[in-house]
Amino acid sequence: MAEQVSLQVQDGIAILRMENGPQNTLSPDLRAALIARFSALADADEVSAVVLTSVGAAFSAGLDIGELGRPVQEPSLMQLTSLLAEFPKPIVAALRGRVLGGAVDLALAAHARVASADTHVGFPAMAMGLLPLGGATQRLPNILTAPSALRVLLGEGMFAVSSAVMDGFAEIAADNAALEAQAVELAKQLAQHPDQWDRARFARVSAADPIATQAALQSARGQYHGKVAPSETKLIECVEASQLLPLAAGLALEETLAEDCRLSDYATGLRHAYLARRRIQHFPERTEAKPRQIRHLWLVGGSANACAIAAITATRGTGVTIYERNAAAVAEAEARVEKACQTLAGRGDPAAALAQIQVTAQLQDLAAADLVLETVGESVEAKQQVFQALDQVLPPDAIRASHSALLPMVELAKGQAVPENFLGLHFHAPVLRGELVELIAGPQTSAETLVTVAEFITGLGRLRLRNGGHPSSMAEPMLAALREVGWYFLLQGISPYAVDQALIDYGLPYGVFAAMDRVGLDVLSRRLALVAASLPVTHATLLQLMQQDGRLGRHGGRGFYLWPDPQTPRPDPELSTLLNDAQPWRTPPKPAEIVEVTVAALANQGAKLLRAGAAVRPSDIDALMVLSQAWPRRQGGPMHSAEQHGMFAILQILRHRAEEVPALFDPDPALAAMVKNGQTFSDLNGIGRNRVVLPA
């Protein structure tokens, strides 16, 4: 283990360099190696101080993500940081690159810090509901001001050590080459001047202004008032303790509250959502082919979505050509592109991005294309005509993609000159701000085409999700199942407002009926008509009934709700007359039952997607719903939620209602097999060779 930490002694200063791969992850072995090295140096007469640094571009990415969700493994990070903090000789941390999570704990336990200007600090595990594990909540507020410490600890992003937020955290090295030498000089200075060392160890910056500190704590609490945020409130409690308790008591409190958070359903859901987000990048075809390079993006159609995609691509430094049918359409597209580039101004130079985009009315300009994405209206005939025209000018190896989320790829693939080079490519809304792009394979889409487009999407800073079997976007069947559940409750005489409130309390921001109103009931009817062949549903009848009564949703002023303004829906007392034969709404089931039935139906639909080969693993469905459909992150996603309710309980919910609505509730055969085998959806979330498929 000691070989993970190299040792060099220079003029009485021991230089320890962590060497645990490119990220210097603080694994149990590395922690043990550090403890061994420091224990030996404590009694080394020839050493007066220590510099702790690393080999590689990053100081350390902190604890391994797989370790964060498990019980603390010894030697713990707290044991390591406590050893450093009480070390009898001064320790200077020399920081570079990323310093994340547990690595910040480690740096704070040192008695001083020197950092290169490109060093960034952050606590990404807070996004998983996990508190620091090595004393950061007690030490950082005594180095930074309380408002700054709270921003950093609450995981608000990555902060450059040279920024105002991090003022006082570290000395800034003149350049990367001087980092280690500057740290050595500071270590010598501290060794020669114990009074300076003491000030570095015990300074309490926040305590110097208790009024500002209390104001910052109050503001932080207000930020989470009324929200489900148990980990955040516990972290604020820890920071407050850093100002009131002795260090040992504060560290003990941090340990206790960190373990409470780790075991909570809140953190479990957030952790699952975080890992699901990472897993979607992995799909089987990645090992079957190598990607081609995409040098330029070609778009057919100058819609708002197309121009948003163009702006995203150009901001990343890739050229874009948009084809439109005439000069007037070209001018409109140019205006949309300029607006989109301005909206993305925070991510790059809008003028530079705009210079990368050309709009043309000459189809022949696409003759050199390597990736063409059509974005015309949702019509099979219109899209097929576009591809027929493109075949006249495109090179045979050009990848052809359709932006459709609704139309079946099997139909759009018909007539393709090279069907192996065709796929669906859907940027989930809102296109400019959204993270997710879905790759929808056609019947003959090649592995090379999938991995090529996947790498292109990654280059745009977006997350790619592979859909290998469903005719349209996987979001459509999942959303249809959600609306079918709502229709099921209505048929039982349950108020839509009771259903929505239960789901809103669960974390869905608009429930189901308010969400339908926001989209537009007429819009939903048109969307259902496009997917009717592959997605038979019964709530189309409900939508027709509502529209016949003049209810179009928010844009029409009334739907399931009254909409006196776009942001303030109100229950409509007349709705019961229309939907419940003038009878009063029945007493609704308990909110927990509404949630359980909803989760069961969506998990059942997810199992069908897995069986069809559309989703690679259950967590892909969870990532889709969290990233693009506002499923609450703290609940992890519908598949994770079903597992949390219990696989047997979910199966029983489905079986109990299967005769009422077979298409929705008849359990997928795999669910019974999983219960019989003692499996859960988590067992199917492996990557690569560890991936397990849905049981027969």
Side-chain angles (χ1 to χ4, degrees):
M1 293 185 295
E3 61 270 14
Q4 292 193 7
V5 183
S6 64
L7 169 64
Q8 176 189 358
V9 179
Q10 176 182 323
D11 297 331
I13 306 300
I15 303 173
L16 296 180
R17 299 183 181 91
M18 297 183 290
E19 301 183 24
N20 188 28
Q23 299 298 318
N24 288 304
T25 303
L26 295 175
S27 65
D29 284 350
L30 179 56
R31 298 197 298 268
L34 285 167
I35 287 174
R37 288 293 196 191
F38 275 105
S39 298
L41 291 172
D43 298 322
D45 294 337
E46 71 277 13
V47 172
S48 60
V50 180
V51 169
L52 175 62
T53 187
S54 63
V55 173
F59 177 73
S60 172
L63 298 176
D64 182 82
I65 190 170
E67 191 179 353
L68 289 174
R70 298 195 295 265
V72 172
Q73 188 171 348
E74 292 195 350
S76 69
L77 181 63
M78 187 69 83
Q79 289 172 326
L80 173 60
T81 57
S82 295
L83 172 66
L84 267 63
E86 298 303 321
F87 198 67
K89 302 170 185 179
I91 301 169
V92 177
L95 312 174
R96 63 165 66 83
R98 292 190 170 190
V99 184
L100 304 181
V104 188
D105 288 283
L106 193 62
L108 288 167
H111 308 122
R113 289 151 295 281
V114 178
S116 60
D118 67 349
T119 302
H120 284 72
V121 170
F123 286 89
M126 196 64 216
M128 293 179 274
L130 300 172
L131 267 58
L133 295 170
T137 67
Q138 302 306 295
R139 295 189 176 98
L140 191 62
N142 294 317
I143 292 174
L144 308 183
T145 64
S148 294
L150 283 164
R151 284 189 64 189
V152 177
L153 288 165
L154 285 167
E156 292 186 14
M158 298 280 291
F159 296 90
V161 292
S162 56
S163 65
V165 172
M166 298 300 297
D167 185 34
F169 178 76
E171 289 186 10
I172 306 301
D175 54 55
N176 283 346
L179 172 66
E180 204 168 282
Q182 190 168 329
V184 168
E185 288 305 311
L186 179 56
K188 289 180 180 178
Q189 178 183 332
L190 293 177
Q192 294 166 5
H193 299 280
D195 58 323
Q196 295 179 6
W197 176 22
D198 288 344
R199 284 201 301 273
R201 293 177 74 182
F202 301 116
R204 280 201 167 191
V205 174
S206 296
D209 192 348
I211 294 176
T213 297
Q214 286 304 314
L217 291 165
Q218 180 102 10
S219 175
R221 287 194 178 95
Q223 179 182 349
Y224 296 102
H225 180 70
K227 298 179 180 178
V228 180
S231 297
E232 288 79 359
T233 55
K234 282 183 170 64
L235 186 139
I236 295 167
E237 182 181 345
C238 286
V239 172
E240 184 172 41
S242 74
Q243 306 303 302
L244 302 174
L245 300 179
L247 178 61
L251 293 174
L253 178 67
E254 180 187 281
E255 276 194 297
T256 298
L257 296 185
E259 182 66 1
D260 288 347
C261 288
R262 184 187 70 82
L263 295 173
S264 69
D265 290 341
Y266 178 75
T268 300
L270 290 176
R271 192 159 62 245
H272 176 82
Y274 183 89
L275 293 171
R277 186 180 186 273
R278 289 167 55 119
R279 286 192 202 105
I280 59 173
Q281 306 286 66
H282 300 273
F283 54 91
E285 289 83 0
R286 290 183 67 203
T287 62
E288 299 173 12
K290 293 184 178 180
R292 288 189 267 152
Q293 183 179 5
I294 300 297
R295 302 178 301 275
H296 196 92
L297 174 64
W298 310 76
L299 291 158
V300 177
S303 66
N305 282 341
C307 292
I309 295 168
I312 292 166
T313 305
T315 300
R316 288 283 176 158
T318 298
V320 183
T321 299
I322 302 173
Y323 167 77
E324 262 295 1
R325 59 192 181 280
N326 54 46
V330 166
E332 291 176 3
E334 288 174 338
R336 292 190 191 103
V337 162
E338 184 172 0
K339 182 179 179 181
C341 288
Q342 290 293 340
T343 302
L344 290 176
R347 305 181 191 180
D349 181 0
L354 199 58
Q356 294 266 28
I357 303 171
Q358 173 191 4
V359 187
T360 180
Q362 302 299 316
L363 190 62
Q364 193 60 37
D365 287 345
L366 278 67
D370 43 15
L371 171 59
V372 179
L373 175 61
E374 66 78 17
T375 64
V376 301
E378 294 282 11
S379 163
V380 171
E381 293 74 17
K383 291 179 182 290
Q384 286 178 336
Q385 289 174 7
V386 166
F387 285 117
Q388 288 170 5
L390 288 173
D391 285 340
Q392 304 303 310
V393 297
L394 292 180
D397 62 346
I399 295 174
R400 298 143 169 90
S402 172
H403 193 250
S404 177
L406 302 171
L407 300 177
M409 289 301 124
V410 65
E411 292 298 322
L412 295 179
K414 291 178 180 177
Q416 291 286 339
V418 187
E420 295 83 1
N421 289 348
F422 171 76
L423 79 166
L425 184 61
H426 180 66
F427 285 70
H428 281 272
V431 173
L432 276 175
R433 300 190 306 276
E435 294 184 89
L436 193 64
V437 182
E438 191 170 349
L439 282 65
I440 309 173
Q444 296 174 259
T445 305
S446 70
E448 182 187 62
T449 295
L450 278 170
V451 298
T452 296
V453 177
E455 288 303 305
F456 175 73
I457 295 304
T458 298
L460 300 184
R462 293 311 198 255
L463 298 170
R464 74 277 178 105
L465 171 67
R466 178 262 208 188
N467 174 344
H470 197 271
S472 63
S473 164
M474 286 193 288
E476 295 305 314
M478 296 302 293
L479 290 175
L482 178 61
R483 294 164 188 152
E484 288 284 279
V485 173
W487 180 218
Y488 163 75
F489 282 120
L490 281 183
L491 290 173
Q492 291 187 321
I494 306 302
S495 163
Y497 312 122
V499 175
D500 271 2
Q501 192 58 57
L503 295 177
I504 289 169
D505 290 344
Y506 180 70
L508 285 171
Y510 308 117
V512 56
F513 296 102
M516 293 169 74
D517 271 1
R518 286 173 175 270
V519 175
L521 307 185
D522 51 341
V523 174
L524 287 175
S525 288
R526 291 195 294 271
R527 292 175 69 90
L528 282 178
L530 291 171
V531 298
S534 61
L535 197 63
V537 295
T538 61
H539 70 269
T541 303
L542 170 64
L543 295 176
Q544 292 169 3
L545 178 63
M546 295 288 286
Q547 291 172 81
Q548 288 167 4
D549 195 50
R551 298 172 181 269
L552 301 181
R554 180 171 65 171
H555 69 89
R558 66 175 189 154
F560 293 101
Y561 291 78
L562 298 175
W563 293 86
D565 66 69
Q567 301 303 322
T568 314
R570 292 206 317 256
D572 183 352
E574 298 180 2
L575 189 63
S576 178
T577 301
L578 176 66
L579 298 180
N580 201 33
D581 296 328
Q583 299 296 317
W585 298 115
R586 282 179 50 203
T587 301
K590 292 180 180 179
E593 182 180 341
I594 292 173
V595 169
E596 286 172 350
V597 173
T598 302
V599 166
L602 267 68
N604 197 36
Q605 179 61 67
K608 295 175 185 177
L609 290 174
L610 290 165
R611 180 171 298 285
V616 175
R617 55 186 71 84
S619 66
D620 284 10
I621 299 168
D622 287 337
L624 168 79
M625 296 300 288
V626 169
L627 292 170
S628 71
Q629 303 304 323
W631 192 274
R633 269 197 324 124
R634 60 186 170 85
Q635 303 294 359
M639 311 303 279
H640 174 76
S641 297
E643 183 175 315
Q644 294 299 101
H645 280 93
M647 300 297 289
F648 178 76
I650 291 297
L651 182 61
Q652 292 302 100
I653 289 169
L654 294 170
R655 283 174 170 170
H656 183 67
R657 294 164 176 81
E659 289 187 7
E660 298 176 76
V661 189
L664 182 64
F665 293 122
D666 194 17
D668 185 273
L671 294 177
M674 291 177 72
V675 170
K676 181 179 179 181
N677 298 336
Q679 289 179 302
T680 67
F681 287 127
S682 291
D683 296 322
L684 311 183
N685 283 333
I687 293 173
R689 294 180 180 178
N690 295 323
R691 189 166 72 91
V692 179
V693 299
L694 200 70

